[in-house]
Amino acid sequence: MDTTLEQPAPARLITADGRARAVSATLRYASADPLAVHLDFPPDASLDGREVCWTFARSLLEEGLGQPAGVGDVRLWPCGDARTALELHSSSGMALLQFATPALRRFLVRTYAVVAAGREDAGAAVDRGLSALFGTV
C-alpha cells in the first residue's frame, strides 16, 4: 500500500536586498517514490503565479540538516540550531529560503517511519524514472 505524507513548511524567502518574506510551502513524501522528498509552493510564491514543485533526494535533506550539502540546483545547510537554509537554482534564477530546522527534522523522521533508511526499493524508483523520461519508447 502506498503512503503519502504531507506537512506544512512555512519558510522565509530571503530577498536580494536581505529582507525576509513569509512563504508557505508543503513538504511531501510518497512511499511510491521512496528516495525523494517534494517541496510544493503555492501559486502566490512563484514569479509566474503557478504552483511549483521541487523534488530532491531524501538523503540530501538529512545531510543538509547537519552540514552543507548538495551541488547544482538544490543546496542545504544549517543556519545555527534553529534554521536550515535551502538554495534553489533554476533557469529563472535563484531562491534562498530558511525553514525551521525542527519542522524539517520532524518531517524526515516521519518519512523514515514509512520507509526506513536503506529499505527503499531503488529498482522500482529507477524504473518509474526511466518510464517518465522515455515513455513507451
Short mmCIF file of all heavy atoms in Angstrom, two decimals, residues 2-68:
data_model
loop_
_atom_site.label_atom_id
_atom_site.label_comp_id
_atom_site.label_asym_id
_atom_site.label_seq_id
_atom_site.Cartn_x
_atom_site.Cartn_y
_atom_site.Cartn_z
N ASP A 2 0.58 2.17 -0.88
CA ASP A 2 1.33 3.43 -0.96
C ASP A 2 0.85 4.39 0.12
O ASP A 2 -0.34 4.51 0.37
CB ASP A 2 1.16 4.07 -2.33
CG ASP A 2 1.87 3.30 -3.42
OD1 ASP A 2 2.82 2.56 -3.10
OD2 ASP A 2 1.48 3.43 -4.59
N THR A 3 1.82 5.06 0.72
CA THR A 3 1.52 6.05 1.75
C THR A 3 2.12 7.38 1.33
O THR A 3 3.26 7.43 0.85
CB THR A 3 2.14 5.63 3.10
OG1 THR A 3 1.61 4.36 3.48
CG2 THR A 3 1.86 6.65 4.18
N THR A 4 1.36 8.44 1.52
CA THR A 4 1.86 9.78 1.23
C THR A 4 1.75 10.62 2.49
O THR A 4 0.69 10.63 3.15
CB THR A 4 1.06 10.45 0.09
OG1 THR A 4 1.20 9.65 -1.08
CG2 THR A 4 1.55 11.85 -0.18
N LEU A 5 2.82 11.30 2.84
CA LEU A 5 2.84 12.23 3.97
C LEU A 5 2.90 13.65 3.43
O LEU A 5 3.59 13.92 2.46
CB LEU A 5 4.09 12.02 4.82
CG LEU A 5 4.33 10.67 5.46
CD1 LEU A 5 5.70 10.66 6.12
CD2 LEU A 5 3.25 10.35 6.46
N GLU A 6 2.19 14.55 4.09
CA GLU A 6 2.30 15.98 3.78
C GLU A 6 2.44 16.73 5.09
O GLU A 6 1.82 16.35 6.10
CB GLU A 6 1.08 16.47 3.01
CG GLU A 6 1.02 15.95 1.61
CD GLU A 6 -0.08 16.60 0.79
OE1 GLU A 6 -0.87 17.41 1.34
OE2 GLU A 6 -0.15 16.31 -0.41
N GLN A 7 3.24 17.78 5.07
CA GLN A 7 3.42 18.60 6.26
C GLN A 7 3.62 20.05 5.83
O GLN A 7 4.48 20.33 4.99
CB GLN A 7 4.64 18.11 7.03
CG GLN A 7 4.97 18.94 8.26
CD GLN A 7 6.16 18.37 9.00
OE1 GLN A 7 6.18 17.19 9.34
NE2 GLN A 7 7.15 19.20 9.24
N PRO A 8 2.83 20.96 6.38
CA PRO A 8 3.08 22.38 6.09
C PRO A 8 4.50 22.75 6.49
O PRO A 8 5.02 22.25 7.49
CB PRO A 8 2.05 23.11 6.95
CG PRO A 8 1.00 22.09 7.25
CD PRO A 8 1.72 20.77 7.29
N ALA A 9 5.13 23.60 5.69
CA ALA A 9 6.51 24.01 5.95
C ALA A 9 6.64 25.51 5.70
O ALA A 9 7.12 25.93 4.64
CB ALA A 9 7.46 23.23 5.06
N PRO A 10 6.19 26.32 6.65
CA PRO A 10 6.36 27.76 6.47
C PRO A 10 7.83 28.10 6.31
O PRO A 10 8.69 27.51 6.96
CB PRO A 10 5.79 28.36 7.75
CG PRO A 10 5.17 27.24 8.51
CD PRO A 10 5.64 25.96 7.92
N ALA A 11 8.11 29.04 5.44
CA ALA A 11 9.50 29.42 5.17
C ALA A 11 9.62 30.93 5.11
O ALA A 11 8.62 31.65 5.05
CB ALA A 11 9.95 28.81 3.84
N ARG A 12 10.86 31.37 5.13
CA ARG A 12 11.16 32.78 4.89
C ARG A 12 11.99 32.85 3.62
O ARG A 12 13.04 32.23 3.52
CB ARG A 12 11.94 33.37 6.07
CG ARG A 12 11.14 33.38 7.35
CD ARG A 12 11.82 34.10 8.48
NE ARG A 12 13.20 33.65 8.66
CZ ARG A 12 14.01 34.14 9.57
NH1 ARG A 12 13.63 35.11 10.37
NH2 ARG A 12 15.24 33.68 9.69
N LEU A 13 11.47 33.58 2.65
CA LEU A 13 12.20 33.83 1.41
C LEU A 13 13.09 35.04 1.65
O LEU A 13 12.61 36.11 2.02
CB LEU A 13 11.22 34.10 0.27
CG LEU A 13 11.84 34.50 -1.07
CD1 LEU A 13 12.65 33.35 -1.65
CD2 LEU A 13 10.76 34.92 -2.04
N ILE A 14 14.38 34.86 1.46
CA ILE A 14 15.33 35.96 1.67
C ILE A 14 15.49 36.67 0.33
O ILE A 14 15.91 36.07 -0.66
CB ILE A 14 16.70 35.45 2.18
CG1 ILE A 14 16.50 34.51 3.39
CG2 ILE A 14 17.62 36.61 2.49
CD1 ILE A 14 15.79 35.11 4.57
N THR A 15 15.15 37.93 0.29
CA THR A 15 15.20 38.70 -0.96
C THR A 15 16.62 39.18 -1.24
O THR A 15 17.49 39.12 -0.37
CB THR A 15 14.24 39.90 -0.90
OG1 THR A 15 14.69 40.79 0.14
CG2 THR A 15 12.81 39.47 -0.62
N ALA A 16 16.82 39.68 -2.45
CA ALA A 16 18.15 40.14 -2.86
C ALA A 16 18.68 41.26 -1.96
O ALA A 16 19.89 41.39 -1.78
CB ALA A 16 18.11 40.62 -4.31
N ASP A 17 17.77 42.05 -1.39
CA ASP A 17 18.21 43.14 -0.51
C ASP A 17 18.30 42.71 0.96
O ASP A 17 18.45 43.53 1.85
CB ASP A 17 17.32 44.36 -0.67
CG ASP A 17 15.87 44.10 -0.31
OD1 ASP A 17 15.55 42.97 0.10
OD2 ASP A 17 15.05 45.02 -0.47
N GLY A 18 18.19 41.38 1.22
CA GLY A 18 18.38 40.87 2.57
C GLY A 18 17.14 40.83 3.44
O GLY A 18 17.21 40.43 4.59
N ARG A 19 16.02 41.26 2.91
CA ARG A 19 14.78 41.21 3.70
C ARG A 19 14.17 39.82 3.61
O ARG A 19 14.45 39.07 2.67
CB ARG A 19 13.79 42.26 3.22
CG ARG A 19 14.26 43.67 3.57
CD ARG A 19 13.22 44.69 3.24
NE ARG A 19 13.26 44.89 1.78
CZ ARG A 19 12.46 45.69 1.12
NH1 ARG A 19 11.52 46.35 1.75
NH2 ARG A 19 12.58 45.83 -0.18
N ALA A 20 13.32 39.48 4.56
CA ALA A 20 12.66 38.18 4.58
C ALA A 20 11.16 38.35 4.34
O ALA A 20 10.55 39.27 4.87
CB ALA A 20 12.89 37.49 5.91
N ARG A 21 10.61 37.46 3.54
CA ARG A 21 9.18 37.45 3.24
C ARG A 21 8.64 36.07 3.57
O ARG A 21 9.22 35.05 3.15
CB ARG A 21 8.99 37.77 1.77
CG ARG A 21 7.58 37.68 1.28
CD ARG A 21 7.49 37.99 -0.22
NE ARG A 21 6.35 37.29 -0.73
CZ ARG A 21 6.34 36.49 -1.79
NH1 ARG A 21 7.44 36.30 -2.48
NH2 ARG A 21 5.26 35.88 -2.16
N ALA A 22 7.54 36.00 4.28
CA ALA A 22 6.93 34.72 4.62
C ALA A 22 6.39 34.04 3.37
O ALA A 22 5.76 34.69 2.52
CB ALA A 22 5.82 34.91 5.64
N VAL A 23 6.65 32.75 3.26
CA VAL A 23 6.19 31.96 2.12
C VAL A 23 5.66 30.64 2.67
O VAL A 23 6.29 30.02 3.53
CB VAL A 23 7.35 31.66 1.14
CG1 VAL A 23 6.92 30.72 0.04
CG2 VAL A 23 7.90 32.94 0.55
N SER A 24 4.51 30.22 2.17
CA SER A 24 4.00 28.91 2.60
C SER A 24 4.50 27.85 1.63
O SER A 24 4.70 28.11 0.45
CB SER A 24 2.48 28.92 2.66
OG SER A 24 1.93 29.18 1.39
N ALA A 25 4.72 26.67 2.15
CA ALA A 25 5.15 25.54 1.34
C ALA A 25 4.64 24.27 2.03
O ALA A 25 4.24 24.30 3.19
CB ALA A 25 6.67 25.52 1.22
N THR A 26 4.69 23.18 1.31
CA THR A 26 4.29 21.89 1.86
C THR A 26 5.35 20.86 1.51
O THR A 26 5.75 20.74 0.35
CB THR A 26 2.93 21.43 1.27
OG1 THR A 26 1.95 22.41 1.56
CG2 THR A 26 2.51 20.09 1.84
N LEU A 27 5.82 20.15 2.52
CA LEU A 27 6.72 19.03 2.31
C LEU A 27 5.86 17.80 2.04
O LEU A 27 4.84 17.59 2.69
CB LEU A 27 7.58 18.78 3.55
CG LEU A 27 8.70 19.77 3.78
CD1 LEU A 27 9.17 19.71 5.22
CD2 LEU A 27 9.85 19.51 2.83
N ARG A 28 6.30 16.98 1.09
CA ARG A 28 5.53 15.79 0.70
C ARG A 28 6.49 14.63 0.48
O ARG A 28 7.57 14.79 -0.07
CB ARG A 28 4.74 16.10 -0.56
CG ARG A 28 3.78 15.04 -1.00
CD ARG A 28 2.83 15.55 -2.10
NE ARG A 28 3.45 16.43 -3.08
CZ ARG A 28 4.04 16.01 -4.19
NH1 ARG A 28 4.12 14.73 -4.47
NH2 ARG A 28 4.57 16.89 -5.04
N TYR A 29 6.07 13.47 0.95
CA TYR A 29 6.84 12.24 0.77
C TYR A 29 5.86 11.13 0.40
O TYR A 29 4.80 10.99 1.00
CB TYR A 29 7.58 11.86 2.05
CG TYR A 29 8.34 10.57 1.95
CD1 TYR A 29 9.57 10.53 1.31
CD2 TYR A 29 7.83 9.39 2.46
CE1 TYR A 29 10.27 9.33 1.19
CE2 TYR A 29 8.52 8.20 2.34
CZ TYR A 29 9.74 8.18 1.70
OH TYR A 29 10.43 7.00 1.57
N ALA A 30 6.23 10.34 -0.60
CA ALA A 30 5.39 9.22 -1.02
C ALA A 30 6.20 7.94 -1.00
O ALA A 30 7.31 7.89 -1.55
CB ALA A 30 4.84 9.48 -2.42
N SER A 31 5.65 6.91 -0.40
CA SER A 31 6.36 5.63 -0.35
C SER A 31 6.55 5.05 -1.75
O SER A 31 7.46 4.24 -1.96
CB SER A 31 5.60 4.63 0.54
OG SER A 31 4.30 4.36 0.02
N ALA A 32 5.74 5.48 -2.70
CA ALA A 32 5.91 5.02 -4.08
C ALA A 32 7.17 5.59 -4.73
O ALA A 32 7.65 5.07 -5.73
CB ALA A 32 4.68 5.41 -4.91
N ASP A 33 7.71 6.66 -4.17
CA ASP A 33 8.93 7.30 -4.66
C ASP A 33 9.84 7.51 -3.45
O ASP A 33 10.07 8.63 -3.00
CB ASP A 33 8.58 8.63 -5.33
CG ASP A 33 9.74 9.27 -6.06
OD1 ASP A 33 10.79 8.61 -6.21
OD2 ASP A 33 9.60 10.42 -6.49
N PRO A 34 10.34 6.41 -2.85
CA PRO A 34 10.94 6.46 -1.52
C PRO A 34 12.27 7.20 -1.39
O PRO A 34 12.69 7.52 -0.29
CB PRO A 34 11.12 4.99 -1.17
CG PRO A 34 11.30 4.32 -2.49
CD PRO A 34 10.39 5.07 -3.43
N LEU A 35 12.93 7.48 -2.50
CA LEU A 35 14.22 8.16 -2.43
C LEU A 35 14.08 9.67 -2.45
O LEU A 35 15.06 10.39 -2.23
CB LEU A 35 15.11 7.71 -3.59
CG LEU A 35 15.46 6.22 -3.61
CD1 LEU A 35 16.16 5.85 -4.91
CD2 LEU A 35 16.29 5.85 -2.41
N ALA A 36 12.89 10.18 -2.70
CA ALA A 36 12.70 11.61 -2.93
C ALA A 36 11.78 12.26 -1.89
O ALA A 36 10.92 11.61 -1.30
CB ALA A 36 12.09 11.82 -4.32
N VAL A 37 12.01 13.55 -1.70
CA VAL A 37 11.05 14.40 -1.00
C VAL A 37 10.65 15.50 -1.98
O VAL A 37 11.41 15.84 -2.90
CB VAL A 37 11.62 15.02 0.30
CG1 VAL A 37 11.90 13.96 1.34
CG2 VAL A 37 12.86 15.84 0.05
N HIS A 38 9.47 16.01 -1.79
CA HIS A 38 8.93 17.05 -2.67
C HIS A 38 8.62 18.27 -1.82
O HIS A 38 8.12 18.15 -0.70
CB HIS A 38 7.67 16.55 -3.37
CG HIS A 38 7.87 15.22 -4.04
ND1 HIS A 38 8.41 15.10 -5.30
CD2 HIS A 38 7.64 13.95 -3.60
CE1 HIS A 38 8.48 13.82 -5.62
NE2 HIS A 38 8.03 13.11 -4.60
N LEU A 39 8.88 19.42 -2.37
CA LEU A 39 8.58 20.68 -1.71
C LEU A 39 7.68 21.47 -2.65
O LEU A 39 8.10 21.88 -3.74
CB LEU A 39 9.88 21.45 -1.42
CG LEU A 39 9.77 22.73 -0.64
CD1 LEU A 39 9.12 22.51 0.73
CD2 LEU A 39 11.15 23.35 -0.46
N ASP A 40 6.43 21.61 -2.25
CA ASP A 40 5.42 22.26 -3.09
C ASP A 40 5.18 23.70 -2.62
O ASP A 40 4.99 23.94 -1.43
CB ASP A 40 4.09 21.49 -3.01
CG ASP A 40 4.22 20.04 -3.45
OD1 ASP A 40 4.94 19.79 -4.44
OD2 ASP A 40 3.59 19.16 -2.82
N PHE A 41 5.20 24.61 -3.59
CA PHE A 41 4.91 26.01 -3.32
C PHE A 41 3.62 26.40 -4.02
O PHE A 41 3.40 26.02 -5.17
CB PHE A 41 6.05 26.91 -3.84
CG PHE A 41 7.34 26.72 -3.10
CD1 PHE A 41 8.32 25.89 -3.60
CD2 PHE A 41 7.57 27.37 -1.91
CE1 PHE A 41 9.51 25.70 -2.93
CE2 PHE A 41 8.76 27.20 -1.22
CZ PHE A 41 9.74 26.36 -1.73
N PRO A 42 2.76 27.18 -3.35
CA PRO A 42 1.51 27.62 -3.99
C PRO A 42 1.77 28.70 -5.03
O PRO A 42 2.88 29.27 -5.09
CB PRO A 42 0.71 28.17 -2.80
CG PRO A 42 1.75 28.64 -1.83
CD PRO A 42 2.91 27.69 -2.00
N PRO A 43 0.78 29.00 -5.86
CA PRO A 43 0.96 29.99 -6.93
C PRO A 43 1.47 31.36 -6.45
O PRO A 43 2.28 31.98 -7.14
CB PRO A 43 -0.44 30.12 -7.54
CG PRO A 43 -1.11 28.83 -7.22
CD PRO A 43 -0.56 28.40 -5.90
N ASP A 44 1.04 31.80 -5.29
CA ASP A 44 1.46 33.13 -4.83
C ASP A 44 2.92 33.20 -4.42
O ASP A 44 3.47 34.28 -4.19
CB ASP A 44 0.56 33.63 -3.69
CG ASP A 44 0.68 32.81 -2.43
OD1 ASP A 44 1.09 31.63 -2.49
OD2 ASP A 44 0.33 33.33 -1.35
N ALA A 45 3.60 32.05 -4.38
CA ALA A 45 5.01 32.03 -4.01
C ALA A 45 5.93 32.04 -5.22
O ALA A 45 7.15 32.13 -5.08
CB ALA A 45 5.32 30.81 -3.15
N SER A 46 5.35 31.96 -6.42
CA SER A 46 6.20 31.89 -7.62
C SER A 46 6.12 33.18 -8.43
O SER A 46 5.17 33.95 -8.30
CB SER A 46 5.81 30.70 -8.50
OG SER A 46 4.57 30.93 -9.11
N LEU A 47 7.10 33.38 -9.27
CA LEU A 47 7.15 34.58 -10.09
C LEU A 47 6.06 34.60 -11.16
O LEU A 47 5.55 35.66 -11.52
CB LEU A 47 8.52 34.70 -10.77
CG LEU A 47 9.70 34.94 -9.83
CD1 LEU A 47 11.00 34.89 -10.62
CD2 LEU A 47 9.56 36.26 -9.11
N ASP A 48 5.70 33.42 -11.67
CA ASP A 48 4.72 33.37 -12.76
C ASP A 48 3.31 33.02 -12.29
O ASP A 48 2.42 32.81 -13.11
CB ASP A 48 5.17 32.42 -13.86
CG ASP A 48 5.29 30.98 -13.39
OD1 ASP A 48 4.98 30.68 -12.21
OD2 ASP A 48 5.71 30.14 -14.20
N GLY A 49 3.08 32.93 -10.99
CA GLY A 49 1.75 32.67 -10.47
C GLY A 49 1.26 31.24 -10.63
O GLY A 49 0.06 30.99 -10.60
N ARG A 50 2.19 30.31 -10.81
CA ARG A 50 1.83 28.89 -10.92
C ARG A 50 2.44 28.11 -9.77
O ARG A 50 3.46 28.51 -9.21
CB ARG A 50 2.31 28.31 -12.24
CG ARG A 50 1.58 28.88 -13.43
CD ARG A 50 1.83 28.08 -14.66
NE ARG A 50 3.18 28.33 -15.16
CZ ARG A 50 3.58 28.02 -16.39
NH1 ARG A 50 2.77 27.41 -17.21
NH2 ARG A 50 4.80 28.28 -16.78
N GLU A 51 1.78 26.99 -9.43
CA GLU A 51 2.35 26.12 -8.41
C GLU A 51 3.72 25.62 -8.87
O GLU A 51 3.94 25.41 -10.05
CB GLU A 51 1.44 24.92 -8.17
CG GLU A 51 0.16 25.28 -7.47
CD GLU A 51 -0.72 24.06 -7.19
OE1 GLU A 51 -0.31 22.92 -7.51
OE2 GLU A 51 -1.80 24.27 -6.65
N VAL A 52 4.62 25.45 -7.92
CA VAL A 52 5.96 24.97 -8.22
C VAL A 52 6.27 23.81 -7.28
O VAL A 52 5.98 23.88 -6.09
CB VAL A 52 7.01 26.09 -8.01
CG1 VAL A 52 8.41 25.56 -8.19
CG2 VAL A 52 6.74 27.26 -8.93
N CYS A 53 6.86 22.76 -7.83
CA CYS A 53 7.28 21.62 -7.02
C CYS A 53 8.76 21.35 -7.27
O CYS A 53 9.18 21.21 -8.42
CB CYS A 53 6.46 20.37 -7.36
SG CYS A 53 7.02 18.91 -6.46
N TRP A 54 9.52 21.30 -6.20
CA TRP A 54 10.93 20.91 -6.27
C TRP A 54 11.04 19.51 -5.69
O TRP A 54 10.47 19.23 -4.63
CB TRP A 54 11.80 21.87 -5.47
CG TRP A 54 12.05 23.15 -6.19
CD1 TRP A 54 11.21 24.23 -6.25
CD2 TRP A 54 13.18 23.47 -6.97
NE1 TRP A 54 11.78 25.20 -7.02
CE2 TRP A 54 12.98 24.77 -7.48
CE3 TRP A 54 14.35 22.80 -7.30
CZ2 TRP A 54 13.92 25.39 -8.28
CZ3 TRP A 54 15.28 23.42 -8.10
CH2 TRP A 54 15.07 24.71 -8.59
N THR A 55 11.78 18.65 -6.35
CA THR A 55 11.99 17.28 -5.89
C THR A 55 13.48 17.06 -5.74
O THR A 55 14.26 17.41 -6.62
CB THR A 55 11.41 16.28 -6.91
OG1 THR A 55 10.01 16.55 -7.07
CG2 THR A 55 11.59 14.85 -6.44
N PHE A 56 13.86 16.50 -4.59
CA PHE A 56 15.27 16.21 -4.35
C PHE A 56 15.38 15.01 -3.43
O PHE A 56 14.39 14.54 -2.87
CB PHE A 56 16.02 17.44 -3.80
CG PHE A 56 15.37 18.08 -2.60
CD1 PHE A 56 15.75 17.74 -1.32
CD2 PHE A 56 14.39 19.06 -2.78
CE1 PHE A 56 15.17 18.34 -0.22
CE2 PHE A 56 13.81 19.67 -1.68
CZ PHE A 56 14.19 19.30 -0.40
N ALA A 57 16.57 14.51 -3.28
CA ALA A 57 16.81 13.28 -2.52
C ALA A 57 16.53 13.46 -1.04
O ALA A 57 16.90 14.47 -0.43
CB ALA A 57 18.26 12.81 -2.70
N ARG A 58 15.88 12.46 -0.47
CA ARG A 58 15.63 12.47 0.97
C ARG A 58 16.95 12.49 1.72
O ARG A 58 17.08 13.16 2.75
CB ARG A 58 14.80 11.23 1.34
CG ARG A 58 14.52 11.10 2.81
CD ARG A 58 13.51 10.04 3.14
NE ARG A 58 13.99 8.70 2.91
CZ ARG A 58 13.43 7.61 3.44
NH1 ARG A 58 12.36 7.72 4.21
NH2 ARG A 58 13.90 6.42 3.18
N SER A 59 17.95 11.80 1.19
CA SER A 59 19.27 11.79 1.83
C SER A 59 19.91 13.18 1.83
O SER A 59 20.67 13.52 2.75
CB SER A 59 20.19 10.78 1.16
OG SER A 59 20.36 11.09 -0.21
N LEU A 60 19.61 13.99 0.83
CA LEU A 60 20.12 15.37 0.79
C LEU A 60 19.51 16.19 1.92
O LEU A 60 20.21 16.96 2.58
CB LEU A 60 19.82 16.02 -0.56
CG LEU A 60 20.23 17.47 -0.73
CD1 LEU A 60 21.73 17.65 -0.57
CD2 LEU A 60 19.76 18.00 -2.08
N LEU A 61 18.22 16.00 2.17
CA LEU A 61 17.58 16.71 3.28
C LEU A 61 18.24 16.30 4.59
O LEU A 61 18.59 17.15 5.41
CB LEU A 61 16.09 16.41 3.31
CG LEU A 61 15.31 16.99 4.49
CD1 LEU A 61 15.43 18.50 4.53
CD2 LEU A 61 13.85 16.55 4.43
N GLU A 62 18.45 15.01 4.78
CA GLU A 62 19.08 14.55 6.02
C GLU A 62 20.48 15.13 6.19
O GLU A 62 20.82 15.65 7.25
CB GLU A 62 19.14 13.03 6.04
CG GLU A 62 19.78 12.51 7.31
CD GLU A 62 19.77 11.00 7.40
OE1 GLU A 62 19.61 10.32 6.38
OE2 GLU A 62 19.96 10.50 8.52
N GLU A 63 21.28 15.07 5.15
CA GLU A 63 22.65 15.58 5.24
C GLU A 63 22.66 17.09 5.48
O GLU A 63 23.43 17.59 6.29
CB GLU A 63 23.41 15.25 3.96
CG GLU A 63 24.87 15.64 4.02
CD GLU A 63 25.64 15.29 2.76
OE1 GLU A 63 25.08 14.64 1.85
OE2 GLU A 63 26.81 15.69 2.69
N GLY A 64 21.78 17.81 4.80
CA GLY A 64 21.76 19.27 4.90
C GLY A 64 21.30 19.80 6.25
O GLY A 64 21.53 20.96 6.57
N LEU A 65 20.67 18.95 7.06
CA LEU A 65 20.28 19.38 8.40
C LEU A 65 21.49 19.46 9.33
O LEU A 65 21.45 20.16 10.33
CB LEU A 65 19.24 18.43 8.99
CG LEU A 65 17.87 18.50 8.33
CD1 LEU A 65 16.96 17.39 8.87
CD2 LEU A 65 17.24 19.85 8.51
N GLY A 66 22.56 18.75 8.98
CA GLY A 66 23.73 18.73 9.86
C GLY A 66 24.96 19.43 9.32
O GLY A 66 25.84 19.83 10.08
N GLN A 67 25.02 19.57 7.98
CA GLN A 67 26.20 20.19 7.37
C GLN A 67 25.84 20.65 5.96
O GLN A 67 24.84 20.20 5.41
CB GLN A 67 27.36 19.19 7.30
CG GLN A 67 27.07 18.01 6.41
CD GLN A 67 28.16 16.96 6.48
OE1 GLN A 67 28.98 16.96 7.37
NE2 GLN A 67 28.17 16.05 5.53
N PRO A 68 26.63 21.54 5.38
CA PRO A 68 26.34 21.96 4.00
C PRO A 68 26.30 20.75 3.07
O PRO A 68 27.15 19.86 3.15
CB PRO A 68 27.51 22.88 3.66
CG PRO A 68 27.97 23.40 4.98
CD PRO A 68 27.78 22.25 5.95
#
